[in-house]
Amino acid sequence: MKILEERIKQDGVVLPGNVLKVNQFLNHQIDPDLMLDIGKEFVNLFGKEKITKILTIESSGIAPAMMTGLLLHVPVLFGRKKKSSTMPGDVYCAHVYSYTKKIENTVTIESKFLNKNDRVLIIDDFLANGEAVSGMLEICQQAHAQVVGVGIAIEKSFQGGAKRIKDQGVHLESLAKIASFDNGQVQFVEESK
Amino acid sequence: MKILEERIKQDGVVLPGNVLKVNQFLNHQIDPDLMLDIGKEFVNLFGKEKITKILTIESSGIAPAMMTGLLLHVPVLFGRKKKSSTMPGDVYCAHVYSYTKKIENTVTIESKFLNKNDRVLIIDDFLANGEAVSGMLEICQQAHAQVVGVGIAIEKSFQGGAKRIKDQGVHLESLAKIASFDNGQVQFVEESK
């Protein structure tokens, strides 16, 4: 997705440890118009799948997921990293390790919001090692819900998570695919251009 | 706002300790079309204020803030409850106590995203004791940014936060105002109907 790649080139900052900081438009300050464009692209890619629900994880997944849900008129469900005080005992959960933050979160979904009749599109802001997406796939499996696809804004292709998920037969699409951060510069995978 | 009040009556669950659970459409599962309606209402109320930025706190404030930002074509900035690993030292922060969760969070905003030229609309999902909004007002004060208004989806009017904030001369508008949870039933403040 050209405008997302251009925005990453313009405003993204490469930090040590292969971390890409996009606080300017996605992870802290959010550009709603860009999020709508991302939502439109996910609708182009997955819109024919009769999606009943969008699944994401707080907090940075919420914005792109919301715009996709708005365009498809389906509910957006976000996993909480801590169990909320207003959540009952009946939940699905998965353990998700964050390599960036070096902590493990337990992601929780109330079981009444996901069931075997759901056709789920999983959306997230970043995919690196694939821990968050794997956790969401696990939650859908617990709910016997069908995952029709995974839509990612920014994939760090060199970290292997995308390959691992596709190898399970999951239809995964990423709008910007990063090949490397060599010399602190963002290099995109050629095929995505 | 009639449709929000109706949705609260239909799907809200009153829990002990004056907690209203709206996990069906706002705090866990989100209804994007309702969020767009909420955004339109905030634009009706504050749209003439030459807003340059929307400020909220993760996670449940993001959805209504995003829709308002989309309609006004201005960036949405969300405060993080934990300092992110990709955040530099140069931040504004405020301590926010959550009576529902019984914990204190340090809400953090990167200082480069807020300055004296900003005209800020603060948006949040709930207002009870006003701790979160007070924290965001404090952050705007640190940044010398002008707060043009505060837009709240659901106000628990009986808990005093709204009065305390209005007494500071802040233009605060809430779309659904709850007078009481007597006998486990949601009673709205009459004037909002």
Side-chain angles (χ1 to χ4, degrees), chain A residues 5 24-25 86 138 158 182 185 187:
Chain A
E5 291 185 353
Q24 185 85 29
F25 59 90
T86 66
E138 196 184 318
F158 59 92
D182 290 349
Q185 296 295 309
Q187 290 288 335

Side-chain angles (χ1 to χ4, degrees), chain B residues 28-167:
Chain B
H28 182 33
Q29 179 169 267
I30 313 172
D31 178 340
D33 291 292
L34 179 64
M35 293 306 117
L36 186 65
D37 287 335
I38 286 174
K40 285 177 186 168
E41 196 65 24
F42 286 141
V43 171
N44 285 340
L45 291 164
F46 300 106
K48 291 179 181 164
E49 292 286 358
K50 293 179 181 147
I51 293 157
T52 63
K53 202 148 282 190
I54 312 261
L55 179 63
T56 190
I57 295 182
E58 64 180 352
S59 290
S60 296
I62 295 174
M66 278 300 295
M67 293 306 174
T68 314
L70 181 70
L71 294 164
L72 294 172
H73 303 289
V74 299
V76 172
L77 188 56
F78 69 92
R80 290 200 172 266
K81 288 177 183 169
K82 276 184 187 167
K83 195 173 163 183
S84 158
S85 62
T86 65
M87 268 194 185
D90 205 3
V91 297
Y92 302 123
C93 60
H95 302 289
V96 172
Y97 184 75
S98 165
Y99 286 89
T100 314
K101 296 178 183 171
K102 296 181 183 60
I103 49 165
E104 185 179 88
N105 288 303
T106 302
V107 174
T108 314
I109 293 282
E110 267 190 63
S111 57
K112 70 172 171 180
F113 293 125
L114 210 55
N115 65 53
K116 65 178 168 52
N117 299 317
D118 277 315
R119 295 177 58 82
V120 179
L121 175 62
I122 291 171
I123 285 183
D124 213 357
D125 56 334
F126 267 95
L127 180 96
N129 293 286
E131 289 281 314
V133 168
S134 295
M136 287 189 271
L137 288 170
E138 196 184 319
I139 282 170
C140 288
Q141 211 164 25
Q142 291 170 30
H144 303 288
Q146 192 179 340
V147 176
V148 300
V150 175
I152 300 294
I154 305 173
E155 172 189 311
K156 295 196 270 184
S157 307
F158 59 92
Q159 284 182 314
K163 187 183 178 305
R164 210 153 41 237
I165 287 157
K166 284 179 185 170
D167 284 351

Side-chain angles (χ1 to χ4, degrees), chain A residues 9 14 20 38 46 53 71 92 104 132 142 154:
Chain A
K9 286 267 186 198
V14 179
L20 175 67
I38 286 174
F46 300 106
K53 202 150 282 188
L71 295 164
Y92 302 123
E104 185 179 88
Q142 291 171 29
I154 305 173

